[in-house]
Amino acid sequence: GIYILIAVGAVMMFVGFLGCYGAIQESQCLLGTFFTCLVILFACEVAAGIWGFVNKDQIAKDVKQFYDQAFQQALMAESETNNGKAVVKTFHETLDCCGPDTATGAVTPLWRDDLCPKKDSILKNLFESSNCHKKIDELFSGKLYLIGIAAIVVAVIMIFEMILSMVLCCGIRNSSVY
């Protein structure tokens, strides 16, 4: 997953460089390439959004499985530099939960307080912290509209980028040569 994000970031940086350099050099070819890359990226984002919406249950299941693996890794780890601990702490702090949907998760706040968010007392920590599987399900079912709003905002920004790049390209074509 990390390598995919790095590759997408590199592609986006390259596309941004094409647009910026094309605008500075007033090159129709570079601006046309920038526009074509934006159209391809827009189509990929729309396809990924549709695929994610259709397969949201499978994605939630995969996220829970990833959390369970990280939780097991964090329980077995002794050092603070373990990646599993960092992932589990991030899940716990972001979702305000503690432990998976098992009996181990229910008693985790008692014997591994370094993994769970701190509450005022141990009893509050035990009774008020919900399991992370439930919180992940709530995130993918109840907060799906937020993800949709973010996707729509990104889509509108990309449409404006495409429009402005074509306006600039046409402006360069129609301008007189000096």
Side-chain angles (χ1 to χ4, degrees):
I2 276 293
Y3 298 117
I4 292 172
L5 290 176
I6 291 172
V8 167
V11 168
M12 292 300 291
M13 188 180 83
F14 177 72
V15 170
F17 174 77
L18 274 178
C20 185
Y21 191 70
I24 289 172
Q25 295 295 320
E26 296 183 0
S27 169
Q28 286 182 325
C29 180
L30 286 176
L31 286 172
T33 306
F34 174 69
F35 176 80
T36 305
C37 290
L38 283 179
V39 169
I40 292 169
L41 286 171
F42 182 74
C44 289
E45 287 178 4
V46 168
I50 291 170
W51 180 84
F53 184 75
V54 169
N55 296 315
K56 67 182 177 197
D57 294 332
Q58 180 64 36
I59 294 171
K61 180 181 167 189
D62 289 344
V63 170
K64 285 190 267 189
Q65 184 179 8
F66 174 73
Y67 169 77
D68 288 342
Q69 289 173 351
F71 190 76
Q72 290 301 322
Q73 202 176 42
L75 288 179
M76 301 302 169
E78 298 300 323
S79 68
E80 284 293 321
T81 59
N82 186 0
N83 288 338
K85 265 189 181 175
V87 169
V88 168
K89 280 185 176 182
T90 303
F91 265 100
H92 289 172
E93 290 170 3
T94 304
L95 298 175
D96 193 27
C97 62
C98 186
D101 202 11
T102 61
T104 306
V107 296
T108 300
L110 296 177
W111 56 279
R112 286 303 296 265
D113 60 344
D114 60 326
L115 292 178
C116 295
K118 302 285 189 246
K119 303 278 188 194
D120 294 338
S121 69
I122 294 176
L123 290 176
K124 268 190 176 179
N125 209 12
L126 181 62
F127 292 116
E128 288 184 9
S129 64
S130 60
N131 64 56
C132 287
H133 284 198
K134 189 188 322 178
K135 291 285 191 166
I136 291 170
D137 285 335
E138 288 174 8
L139 178 70
F140 278 98
S141 62
K143 306 280 193 242
L144 194 62
Y145 68 93
L146 291 175
I147 297 169
I149 289 171
I152 289 171
V153 167
V154 169
V156 167
I157 290 171
M158 286 194 74
I159 289 171
F160 276 122
E161 288 175 356
M162 289 186 281
I163 291 170
L164 292 175
S165 69
M166 273 295 101
V167 167
L168 186 59
C169 189
C170 292
I172 290 170
R173 181 183 315 139
N174 295 334
S175 69
S176 60
V177 180
Y178 31 90

